[in-house]
Amino acid sequence: MRRRNMEKEDIVKKEEKKRKKRNKGAFSTALGMELREHKSSFFVYFILRLFVIATMVLQLFRGNYENVFLCILTLVLLVVPSLIQVKIKIELPTALEIIMLLFIFSAEILGEINAFYIRIPAWDTVLHTLNGFLMAAIGFSLVDILNRHERFSFELSPVFMAIVAFCFSMTIGVLWEFFECGMDTFFHLDMQKDTILHSITSVMLDPNGGNVPITIKGIQDVSVNGQSLGLGGYLDIGLYDTMKDLFVNFIGAVVFSVVGFFYVKSRGKGRFAKRFIPRLKNKDKDFLSIAAENRDDAEHEGASEEKETESGE
């Protein structure tokens, strides 16, 4: 009896291993199908991937292993939009997918490795504005998908959907600033870029120790431990950069929330908003299910052929 139970457990384990292997193969196939679904987004993905690999090889030869890690991270992030579509069964519009790919490349490869954040002062501002716009689109789509889902009997008003999209975008923006602050604090990076100021105001400068703000104007230089920094002003540690990032994120979130409001108001007739709002996949675009069915059919055909061969012998 015990031996039979052990044999059954072995059979169950083998079947489980086969199922996991089959699911893994189906997922890889589905991911490949997803990447190639839209020619334009696949072309952008392919070109950016080549650039990232070339940059990684170059940084490896230069011994910049931190940048090599950033390249590997970028390669992973470039696949994320397709992973989301396969795993969660959500269809990303081609325009949104291309912008996401370009955003990842611009932030990591151009911004960090090629120092565009330093070379082009507006680079960080543009990316944070775009981030606010994209996150509002994603937040809007989450509510829109729930709104259209058959299991939910309630309908949310366009105003409420726009508010949720705005709040979602701002929350992501705040969490990102938390991340930058954490990286600067614990790993001594400078993700929260500093600003040179020529005047400061602080209650800590009050000689009486009170709560009176004292202003120092015309600051031309600052010395630390008796040594001049030579920056031509006071060095602000990330405060202005953080507030600027949140402000432009706010602008991007407001813009798309307004666009999304009129999109829902017109019952999905807006062409512009439709290019940026993800939606649930149709059954004919559910590549994971299609790949799994194809593999099951192939296995059944193989099993049938084996049985025919055995019966013929």
Side-chain angles (χ1 to χ4, degrees), residues 140 144 147-148 156-159 161-162 258-270 273 277:
F140 191 91
D144 188 47
N147 225 19
R148 296 168 182 263
L156 305 179
S157 68
V159 174
M161 292 178 68
V258 172
V259 171
F261 169 79
F262 287 106
Y263 171 79
V264 178
K265 198 76 173 177
S266 61
R267 297 183 179 181
K269 294 180 181 179
I277 298 179

Side-chain angles (χ1 to χ4, degrees), residues 14-304:
K14 288 180 180 179
E15 290 295 326
E16 184 67 19
K17 286 182 179 179
K18 286 182 179 179
R19 186 184 66 81
K20 288 182 178 180
K21 187 176 181 180
R22 185 170 62 249
N23 290 342
K24 188 177 181 180
F27 185 81
S28 300
T29 303
L31 185 59
M33 295 169 67
E34 189 66 58
L35 286 169
R36 293 173 176 81
E37 181 186 7
H38 303 294
K39 292 182 179 179
S40 54
S41 59
F42 177 71
F43 176 77
V44 173
Y45 166 80
F46 182 75
I47 295 299
L48 293 181
R49 189 177 178 85
L50 286 179
F51 276 121
V52 174
I53 293 174
T55 303
M56 182 171 63
V57 173
L58 181 62
Q59 296 301 318
L60 187 61
F61 280 122
R62 291 178 176 176
N64 296 329
Y65 299 112
E66 183 179 339
N67 289 343
V68 172
F69 171 75
L70 284 176
C71 290
I72 296 172
L73 176 62
T74 304
L75 290 174
V76 174
L77 291 175
L78 288 175
V79 185
V80 168
S82 296
L83 284 173
I84 293 173
Q85 294 182 86
V86 171
K87 200 69 177 176
I88 310 180
K89 299 180 180 180
I90 290 177
E91 184 69 28
L92 297 178
T94 305
L96 177 63
E97 188 173 358
I98 290 175
I99 291 176
M100 290 175 70
L101 295 174
L102 292 174
F103 180 85
I104 294 168
F105 182 80
S106 300
E108 299 297 334
I109 304 302
L110 298 180
E112 294 292 345
I113 296 178
N114 291 286
F116 273 37
Y117 290 127
I118 305 299
R119 296 178 182 178
I120 305 175
W123 192 259
D124 187 52
T125 302
V126 171
L127 290 182
H128 275 280
T129 307
L130 185 59
N131 178 73
F133 185 88
L134 292 178
M135 290 303 106
I138 293 173
F140 191 91
S141 68
L142 293 175
V143 182
D144 188 47
I145 289 171
L146 290 176
N147 225 19
R148 296 168 182 263
H149 204 282
E150 296 177 356
R151 294 183 181 180
F152 296 91
S153 58
F154 58 86
E155 291 187 3
L156 305 179
S157 68
V159 174
F160 183 80
M161 292 178 68
I163 292 174
V164 171
F166 171 78
C167 292
F168 179 84
S169 177
M170 291 304 300
T171 300
I172 297 298
V174 170
L175 290 176
W176 178 255
E177 294 303 322
F178 285 167
F179 171 76
E180 287 189 347
C181 181
M183 296 299 286
D184 291 351
T185 301
F186 298 109
F187 297 99
H188 306 291
L189 301 179
D190 190 22
M191 296 187 71
Q192 294 175 299
K193 298 296 184 284
D194 305 327
T195 306
I196 304 300
L197 305 177
H198 298 289
S199 66
I200 58 173
T201 300
S202 174
V203 296
M204 297 187 71
L205 297 173
D206 184 1
N208 299 319
N211 196 36
V212 179
I214 304 297
T215 300
I216 300 178
K217 298 180 180 180
I219 302 175
Q220 298 300 321
D221 194 12
V222 172
S223 297
V224 177
N225 296 330
Q227 183 177 357
S228 172
L229 296 180
L231 298 174
Y234 176 81
L235 183 64
D236 166 70
I237 310 296
L239 174 62
Y240 278 77
D241 178 75
T242 297
M243 296 312 299
K244 179 198 67 179
D245 291 346
L246 290 176
F247 180 70
V248 295
N249 191 103
F250 168 85
I251 293 174
V254 167
V255 169
F256 191 88
S257 297
V258 172
V259 171
F261 169 79
F262 287 106
Y263 171 79
V264 178
K265 198 76 173 177
S266 61
R267 297 183 179 181
K269 294 180 181 179
R271 293 182 180 180
F272 179 78
K274 193 177 290 186
R275 296 174 181 173
F276 301 98
I277 298 179
R279 58 188 181 278
L280 289 173
K281 275 184 171 292
N282 296 325
K283 289 184 178 180
D284 61 330
K285 297 294 184 180
D286 186 359
F287 295 125
L288 185 58
S289 299
I290 293 172
E293 289 175 3
N294 290 340
R295 294 183 74 86
D296 288 340
D297 293 340
E299 287 183 4
H300 288 316
E301 288 179 5
S304 300

